[in-house]
Amino acid sequence: MNGLETEVRYVKGIGEKRAKLLNRLSIHTLKDFLNYFPRDYEDRSKLKKISELQFGESACIKAVLATDLNTSRKSGGQTVLKFRVFDDTGSLGITYFNQTYVKNQLCKGNEYIFFGKIQGDFLRPELINPAFEAVSKAGKSTGRILPVYPMISGLTRSIIIQGVEAALAAGFDELNDDLPDSLRKQYDLVHAKDAYQNIHFPKSLADALNARKRFIFEELFFLSIGLRQIKSMRQKENGIPLESLDLGVFFSALGFTLTSAQNKAINEAVLDMASGKLMNRLIQGDVGSGKTAVATACVYAVVKNGYQAALMTPTTILAEQHFFRLAPLFERFSIRTALLTGSLSSKDKANICEKAKNGEIDLLIGTHALIQKEVGFRNLALVITDEQHRFGVNQRTALMTKGTGKALAHTLVMSATPNPRTLALILYGDLDVSIIDELPPGRKPVKTALRGNLARKKVYQFLKQQIFAGRQIYIVCPLVDENGNEELKAVEAYADELKNDFADMEIGFLHGRMKPSKKEEIMCKFTSGAMKILVSTTVIEVGIDVPNATIMVIENAERFGLSQLHQLRGRVGRGDDQSYCILFTESKNEETIKRLEVLCRTNDGFKIAEEDLRLRGPGDFFGKRQHGLPDLKIANLASNVKELKDAQEAAERLLQREPGLTHPENRGIARRVKELFEKNNQSGLLN
Ligand code: ADP
Ligand code: MG
């Protein structure tokens, strides 16, 4: 048996209890220890003199214990051990709290190495609870660079170190390199053996960096290969071929002239669907660029060819909006539309499913209720996902396979989150892209201002003027938490206050936990114009389109990310009137203010996304696993741009040369790619 496959509970010194904790860190076998990478390092390799120490720094000193070891007990029951040490440059106080065992391990007159953070004040610098070792035995917790691991309570660094050491001892010789020599040479990457040794126990920080560089490359490389394979597999797939038809009659019913960017996107999609191959296309355009029109044209083409289409949205409110808008439009062309959301009664649901199966519905609009098992179609040929950045790759694919069983449905994906280009490549690496880089004519950029509470009265005055001029207002309030009742109370208080300022005006409230019928009623009132002010959570963040609403007020703006604020702001500026966005914040934090000011400066979603990514990193940027990609363990899509480029280039070159990855030198790659996607439950994509 391969020693690295040994389960951790059988490893000396670990046992059942710790094994359970380790499992929570996804450490199940010795090999997993090797892949549990440090998040940082503590350089305890260099010794400093006492006179050189700086406040706040962490440092190692070699010093002689100068005083007796006296333990005292404080009133709270805390034990305190204090003593002084010296070297040839000075002396230093050391204190241990609640660590009685220390006393028995130290001896006056002996020399030790201590490591810790220099605290205290200028006159009395001090080490508190430092790590220590006798000089003769040094080298384990001092005198070296120590890895810093992500930790949970119940485990310690030394347990992980022990596990990694055991793994290296058991399996160092078995550590083959899955990257071929030629590739390693070309990108100057260290061998897997060295990389594993040095990422955990580097002799120098440079060694650690080289090890990390290798793993970052490797991770991005396998990811790029996997995405490319998905793409080329899809490209080979046959799709239902559509006959081309004249869309002119449909366009004239839209009530506006399409922009040339919209026209181009529609042409590209229609050509895809007529090609006999499967369409996998992303329509990317900033908020308000008119992506819905592109989707509807595709639906029209598909249905007029005798097939069905489905449109999936991330929120019920958005599904409803699409339904109420599109159903009357399509009805003029005898296209039958239905709405399927989680909030329907099971009887209604069953009824709709039945009709979809029989082909009595041409376009089914809904939330992820659409991908449930019961939902089937007679001849589904097109699947559209709106606001794709809210879904995962998996969800997108699940719907695709709901066709007739004979052929996969064409996929059209719409995304407003303007991903920086490098990221778009990774996120949508398996799709062809149409970009709508033009807004409908006559749009004025939204004027954005940052305000504090002091300006509130003045802002309200302005809001009233706008309402008298016939406009409507959104107020987004982060206080309405989707789960927290207490916060709901805060919103009610907010509402009452608002009613004082806006007496006689209809104000509505909307949040995610409301009954669907109530939500619908409120959205209806707002859309019709009867309701002037809509106070809401971020449920209105995506897709909502009420052109007469021209003001977006965002409370506690500092609590939102830039891209999210941009999405929210995208709810206004959808008609011909000048629109405004007012960001309220009481934050005095310079960084925060700087971040919010980006929004006041530009309306360009791409710029904002780049900035957001730079400031927050991709984790937050995409929210929790919203992107549906395999988790990245070590690479960071925001800061490893160069590595990403290299990895993509290498992946492309390799697949051109050897698409099947069956050559012995590439088998390791094939296996790792499969593992990466399988682990993330996307195996269906790669079989
Ligand atoms: P998004 O790209 O954010 O999904 P929508 O499709 O919701 O944008 O369109 C935003 C608004 O612009 C809608 O009210 C839509 O009717 C309108 N619109 C779309 N295309 C045009 C156009 N070419 N000319 C004028 N208005 C348009
Ligand atoms: Mg939209």
Side-chain angles (χ1 to χ4, degrees), residues 288 291-292 318 321-322 386-387 414 416 542-544 571 574:
K291 294 180 289 293
T292 317
L318 184 52
Q321 175 189 285
H322 278 321
D386 196 7
E387 310 288 350
M414 306 199 284
V542 289
I544 296 303
R571 297 310 115 222
R574 298 186 150 244

Side-chain angles (χ1 to χ4, degrees), residues 406-426:
K406 277 179 254 129
L408 289 174
H410 296 294
T411 311
L412 189 70
V413 161
M414 306 199 284
S415 176
T417 294
N419 300 298
R421 225 153 302 148
T422 48
L423 285 173
L425 269 176
I426 278 287

Side-chain angles (χ1 to χ4, degrees), residues 450-619:
L450 192 59
R451 293 286 180 264
N453 252 335
L454 281 178
R456 194 168 283 276
K457 286 280 168 245
K458 228 168 134 192
V459 168
Y460 283 180
Q461 210 51 48
F462 175 69
L463 299 187
K464 275 180 208 159
Q465 277 168 20
Q466 291 291 310
I467 292 171
F468 286 127
R471 306 284 101 79
Q472 290 164 275
I473 295 168
Y474 295 102
I475 301 181
V476 171
C477 200
L479 288 171
V480 198
D481 182 275
E482 307 289 292
N483 318 312
N485 290 329
E486 208 171 296
E487 311 215 312
L488 281 177
K489 264 191 230 143
V491 169
E492 276 160 22
Y494 182 84
D496 285 341
E497 213 171 288
L498 210 61
K499 277 181 188 142
N500 287 338
D501 283 285
F502 294 89
D504 314 328
M505 281 177 206
E506 181 144 9
I507 304 177
F509 295 89
L510 198 66
H511 58 81
R513 296 179 90 205
M514 248 168 183
K515 271 224 252 58
S517 55
K518 185 79 188 155
K519 268 194 245 179
E520 203 174 300
E521 180 195 319
I522 287 172
M523 265 332 280
C524 245
K525 271 196 190 155
F526 191 67
T527 311
S528 73
M531 180 180 285
K532 298 303 175 195
I533 302 180
L534 180 62
V535 181
S536 166
T537 54
T538 52
V539 287
I540 56 142
E541 177 183 344
V542 289
I544 296 303
D545 183 50
V546 181
N548 192 49
T550 56
I551 301 187
M552 168 62 71
V553 178
I554 302 174
E555 297 284 353
N556 300 97
E558 73 285 350
R559 298 206 197 168
F560 299 101
L562 277 187
S563 290
Q564 201 180 6
L565 289 169
H566 180 63
Q567 282 282 325
L568 285 168
R569 176 170 64 177
R571 297 310 115 222
V572 300
R574 298 186 150 244
D576 296 335
D577 300 299
Q578 177 63 53
S579 290
Y580 303 87
C581 174
I582 297 149
L583 307 170
F584 272 115
T585 184
E586 285 304 296
S587 172
K588 300 283 174 281
N589 182 304
E590 223 170 283
E591 287 291 302
T592 307
I593 301 296
K594 237 195 253 159
R595 193 163 67 85
L596 294 175
E597 277 172 349
V598 173
L599 225 59
C600 303
R601 261 200 318 275
T602 178
N603 275 281
D604 181 338
F606 274 89
K607 280 203 192 121
I608 290 167
E610 300 269 1
E611 195 64 14
D612 201 19
L613 185 63
R614 200 178 61 74
L615 292 169
R616 302 197 305 159

